[in-house]
Amino acid sequence: MNPTAWQSLKTPKHPWLATRALALVMLALLLSACGFRLQGTTPLPFDSMYVNVPQNTAFGADLRRAIRAASGQTQIVNDRSEPFDIAFEEVAQTRSTREVSLNAQGRVEEYELTLTYIFRLVTPEGEPVLPDTTLRAVRNLPFDDRVVQAKEVEEATLFAQMQQSLIARILRRISAPDVVKSFRDVQAGG
């Protein structure tokens, strides 16, 4: 073996690579030692849930899919005559579009899209576990009247993203500690 080949084995080409890898390992150990963990799903405390949102709507299908993914042990009941622990009731859902700004010619430059969803959780007897809760998602949509079709597609995409955001917020809300406590209190009292 010649001397230059031997020297190349001793000194790494990228000494900063080993330092960076060591720093990442140390950071991972530090985060795990302090109790940090990525946000996961909190299983729902209900064994069965009646959902009155129509299954054949995108919102109803996505909500059911999210409940199954978050809490595999919770059975979704589609018929109110079947036994269930809790009922998820949709009170109202509204979509609105509002003109936010106009250009010098009086044409719309920007819209504000709003998706409002009101729901509640009740026992089979109708006793509220979570009273009417309003969640709202708002997005701005820049508008150009020269590309109306593209903006219509963008509006539909934004509403779909807002819907997914609301579903995630609904799951966080119905699995919150105060709702779990209220559900357990109602179960113990009844």
Side-chain angles (χ1 to χ4, degrees):
M1 187 176 238
N2 65 25
T4 55
W6 178 255
Q7 286 177 341
S8 68
L9 289 175
K10 284 184 180 178
T11 57
K13 287 185 176 183
H14 304 287
W16 54 270
L17 192 60
T19 306
R20 185 173 280 179
L22 181 63
L24 286 173
V25 168
M26 294 300 289
L27 179 65
L29 288 173
L30 181 67
L31 286 175
S32 65
C34 75
F36 174 82
R37 62 184 171 91
L38 293 174
Q39 177 183 1
T41 57
T42 304
L44 300 175
F46 325 114
D47 291 330
S48 59
M49 174 186 273
Y50 168 72
V51 179
N52 83 333
V53 183
Q55 296 181 65
N56 60 351
T57 64
F59 193 86
D62 289 346
L63 179 64
R64 283 173 173 78
R65 191 176 308 116
I67 290 170
R68 286 185 190 107
S71 189
Q73 89 281 358
T74 301
Q75 178 188 4
I76 296 177
V77 176
N78 295 316
D79 185 5
R80 194 161 187 118
S81 64
E82 295 178 33
F84 58 89
D85 292 336
I86 198 86
F88 178 94
E89 295 182 348
E90 176 181 84
V91 177
Q93 179 179 6
T94 58
R95 289 181 175 205
S96 64
T97 305
R98 181 176 72 94
E99 297 173 355
V100 177
S101 63
L102 303 173
N103 63 15
Q105 291 80 31
R107 293 185 182 140
V108 177
E109 279 190 339
E110 187 173 20
Y111 284 106
E112 179 182 80
L113 309 177
T114 306
L115 180 58
T116 305
Y117 193 78
I118 304 171
F119 70 96
R120 65 179 159 234
L121 292 179
V122 295
T123 63
E125 296 78 31
E127 191 173 341
V129 172
L130 177 65
D132 288 6
T133 302
T134 303
L135 298 177
R136 184 171 289 119
V138 179
R139 301 281 191 283
N140 288 337
L141 172 67
F143 188 76
D144 185 355
D145 58 359
R146 294 173 293 182
V147 286
V148 174
Q149 230 176 356
K151 288 301 176 176
E152 287 174 353
V153 171
E154 185 178 355
E155 179 181 349
T157 302
L158 281 173
F159 271 123
Q161 290 172 350
M162 293 162 62
Q163 183 173 294
Q164 291 302 316
S165 170
L166 284 181
I167 288 172
R169 290 170 56 195
I170 287 169
L171 284 177
R172 284 194 301 270
R173 183 64 190 116
I174 65 177
S175 63
D178 63 320
V179 176
V180 173
K181 182 183 180 312
S182 178
F183 174 68
R184 299 212 193 290
D185 290 348
V186 167
Q187 271 190 325

